[in-house]
Amino acid sequence: MTNINIKIISDPVCPFCYLGNARLNRAIDLYKKTYPGGKDDTFNVTWQAYYLNPTAPAKGLPVNEVMASRFGADRLEMMHAHMKKLGVAEGFNFTFGGKTGHTRDAHRAIQLAKSKGPEVENAVMTSIMKSYFEEDGDVTSWDMIVDAAARGGLERDEVRKWLEEGKGGREVDEQVEDAYRMGVRGVPHFVINDKYEVGGAQEVGEFLRQIVAAKEKGGQGSSGGEGLSC
């Protein structure tokens, strides 16, 4: 039996992070079903914080307004149509009706989840992204963060107290700086067993290839190139 560690460098307002996580999960399921002895191997998925926009406002703004000012209304409409098509293929529905802003508080809640183990951490991160991308959530809102974290397995009162006391911020900022030092300039960015890297939301087959490489080659690292990223 082999334990395979996968670190995902991510920001919860990046749609390709949501997409990439879904594709990774499909690759893990495929590995367990098809790779000889794969059903006995275990996967430990953790998350590392990243700020796509370090100067984003603390109070959320409508994501459509922010993106339209950046890309233009016509281009944004085409981008949304493309993302919705990709989302449907993974079983979820991008609404793009939420509010975006600085993600430090969302990352702080994930930092609390990290202290409860990788399963809770993974569930909380996924829940926050679901709230933002599929339920028109405001990623800067403590109410949304608390609700999403509770759905992921944390206690509501503990999450709110954690946010009120400002906990987790230093650790989050250090993770972000570490990602910058690593040369990460886009997310999602996946690191398998500290050696095999997959940049962006690549196809399931590429994730599977890198997982198999980590299993078979051990210490010899490689890069899976670049996929869809923010």
Side-chain angles (χ1 to χ4, degrees):
M1 183 181 75
T2 301
N3 181 60
I4 298 173
N5 296 306
I6 302 177
K7 177 173 64 180
I8 309 174
I9 302 172
S10 171
D11 197 351
V13 293
C14 170
F16 296 119
C17 291
Y18 198 30
L19 185 73
N21 184 49
R23 290 178 174 179
L24 171 65
N25 288 333
R26 283 208 288 138
I28 291 173
D29 287 342
L30 187 60
Y31 173 88
K32 285 180 169 289
K33 291 176 181 177
T34 62
Y35 188 83
K39 63 182 178 60
D40 297 321
D41 291 338
T42 58
F43 287 81
N44 184 49
V45 178
T46 58
W47 298 79
Q48 179 173 335
Y50 192 90
Y51 298 148
L52 278 172
N53 183 3
T55 61
K59 184 175 177 59
L61 299 172
V63 65
N64 279 326
E65 293 181 12
V66 174
M67 299 302 285
S69 67
R70 180 178 177 185
F71 297 107
D74 291 342
R75 184 181 175 192
L76 182 61
E77 185 176 350
M78 291 187 292
M79 291 168 62
H80 280 180
H82 179 59
M83 285 305 307
K84 287 181 178 181
K85 183 177 180 180
L86 293 175
V88 168
E90 301 302 333
F92 48 76
N93 177 44
F94 285 113
T95 62
F96 299 109
K99 291 185 177 181
T100 189
H102 210 292
T103 54
R104 190 171 189 259
D105 287 342
H107 283 300
R108 289 202 295 121
I110 296 160
Q111 188 65 28
L112 172 60
K114 189 184 290 287
S115 70
K116 311 296 183 181
E119 288 188 9
V120 176
E121 179 187 1
N122 202 27
V124 169
M125 179 58 156
T126 302
S127 181
I128 288 174
M129 290 193 290
K130 180 178 178 64
S131 294
Y132 177 68
F133 287 115
E134 297 193 70
E135 299 169 353
D136 297 340
D138 177 354
V139 77
T140 69
S141 165
W142 283 9
D143 287 340
M144 190 218 84
I145 293 170
V146 169
D147 287 345
R151 183 168 59 188
L154 294 177
E155 294 293 331
R156 290 177 179 275
D157 290 345
E158 184 180 15
V159 179
R160 188 165 291 277
K161 183 179 180 182
W162 177 273
L163 294 173
E164 289 173 348
E165 294 179 351
K167 292 182 177 179
R170 178 179 57 81
E171 293 85 352
V172 167
D173 292 340
E174 288 175 353
Q175 290 173 27
V176 172
E177 288 302 318
D178 179 64
Y180 293 159
R181 284 193 298 270
M182 288 172 59
V184 176
R185 294 295 178 263
V187 289
H189 190 86
F190 303 80
V191 183
I192 305 172
N193 282 355
D194 294 324
K195 295 182 181 296
Y196 298 83
E197 300 189 33
V198 178
Q202 300 217 22
E203 296 296 332
V204 171
E206 179 58 29
F207 282 114
L208 180 61
R209 187 178 76 84
Q210 293 296 329
I211 291 170
V212 170
K215 166 76 173 183
E216 296 180 349
K217 297 181 182 179
Q220 182 181 349
S222 68
S223 173
E226 294 296 326
L228 300 169
S229 64
C230 297

